């Protein structure tokens, strides 16, 4: 995308000018900073310009497989590019989608066992301020309570209560109304 490349190039050129003013010793650390800054901008751009509008289209048109793929990409950006997720919030959406084996975190626990056929979420992601935060999962209404119990049991197996000192709460809720004028 031309706009994304133009802005990314501007970030790099402004940082290069700043380096010249700071001197040679600043160049090594700013190379890494520049790379991170460009990656974060590009993730924001992709999220805003492509992922959110495509997710809205998929949801509106009940294309849940497409929605899941888009939300997975968004969550992957939060984990790998923004790096603002803790191990638990990085793992939970993958677990909800039946992809927990793809997580490469440091948990040494064994994979959780499900007592019945696992329900997989159409889509799931972490959200909030990061470094703690919350996760959501989209499932069929008639499977929601079963899914919530399954997800909690899976989470407790992977991250035993009390091991992190974090509060955990799993609950089922219905989506609220969309945006509207009052």
């Amino acid at each position: 995308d031309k706009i994304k490349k133009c802005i990314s190039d501007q970030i790099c050129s402004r940082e290069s000018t700043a380096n010249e003013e700071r001197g040679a010793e600043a160049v090594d650390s700013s190379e890494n900073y520049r790379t991170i800054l460009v990656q974060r901008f590009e993730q924001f751009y992709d999220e805003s310009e492509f992922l959110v509008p495509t997710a809205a289209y998929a949801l509106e048109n009940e294309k849940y497989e497409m929605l899941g793929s888009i939300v997975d990409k968004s969550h992957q950006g939060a984990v790998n590019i923004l790096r603002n997720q803790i191990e638990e919030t990085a793992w939970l959406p993958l677990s909800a989608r039946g992809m927990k084996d793809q997580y490469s975190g440091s948990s040494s626990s064994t994979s959780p066992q499900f007592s019945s056929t696992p329900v997989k979420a159409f889509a799931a992601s972490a959200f909030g301020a990061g470094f703690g935060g919350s996760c959501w999962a989209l499932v069929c209404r008639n499977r929601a309570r079963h899914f919530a119990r399954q997800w909690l049991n899976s989470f407790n197996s992977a991250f035993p209560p009390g091991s992190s000192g974090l509060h955990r709460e799993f609950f089922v809720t219905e989506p609220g109304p969309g945006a509207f004028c009052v």
Side-chain angles (χ1 to χ4, degrees):
D1 182 278
K2 290 179 183 178
I3 295 171
K4 182 167 81 171
K5 176 152 179 30
C6 178
I7 295 172
S8 295
D9 290 347
Q10 287 295 313
I11 291 169
C12 289
S13 68
R14 289 177 192 258
E15 187 62 28
S16 294
T17 303
N19 285 343
E20 291 171 14
E21 294 170 5
R22 289 187 297 233
E25 67 278 355
V27 173
D28 286 340
S29 65
S30 65
E31 285 293 326
N32 188 38
Y33 176 75
R34 182 179 346 173
T35 300
I36 291 169
L37 194 59
V38 168
Q39 287 174 340
R40 290 175 70 88
F41 161 72
E42 290 178 350
Q43 191 276 340
F44 170 77
Y45 184 87
D46 290 344
E47 185 89 19
S48 302
E49 297 298 316
F50 301 109
L51 297 178
V52 169
T54 308
Y57 167 82
L59 188 59
E60 181 179 12
N61 291 284
E62 298 180 9
K63 296 181 178 282
Y64 299 121
E65 189 172 317
M66 176 191 273
L67 177 65
S69 295
I70 294 160
V71 174
D72 292 344
K73 186 163 179 57
S74 174
H75 180 67
Q76 183 180 32
V79 172
N80 298 329
I81 297 170
L82 298 179
R83 298 184 192 127
N84 65 353
Q85 298 302 313
I86 61 172
E87 187 174 5
E88 292 86 346
T89 59
W91 183 88
L92 267 167
L94 296 176
S95 170
R97 298 268 293 138
M99 304 183 308
K100 63 185 175 296
D101 295 336
Q102 294 181 20
Y103 179 67
S104 60
S106 62
S107 178
S108 61
S109 60
T110 60
S111 295
Q113 300 297 312
F114 297 104
S115 58
S116 61
T117 304
V119 176
K120 293 181 184 174
F122 293 117
S125 186
F127 70 99
F131 306 110
S134 301
C135 296
W136 61 268
L138 177 66
V139 297
C140 289
R141 176 183 290 137
N142 65 347
R143 301 290 303 214
R145 296 213 182 279
H146 174 74
F147 174 82
R149 282 189 305 277
Q150 168 190 291
W151 206 19
L152 174 61
N153 291 338
S154 181
F155 184 69
N156 284 339
S157 293
F159 303 94
S163 63
S164 66
L166 298 174
H167 174 74
R168 55 186 70 191
E169 184 176 346
F170 286 66
F171 58 91
V172 174
T173 186
E174 299 260 343
F180 58 92
C181 294
V182 177

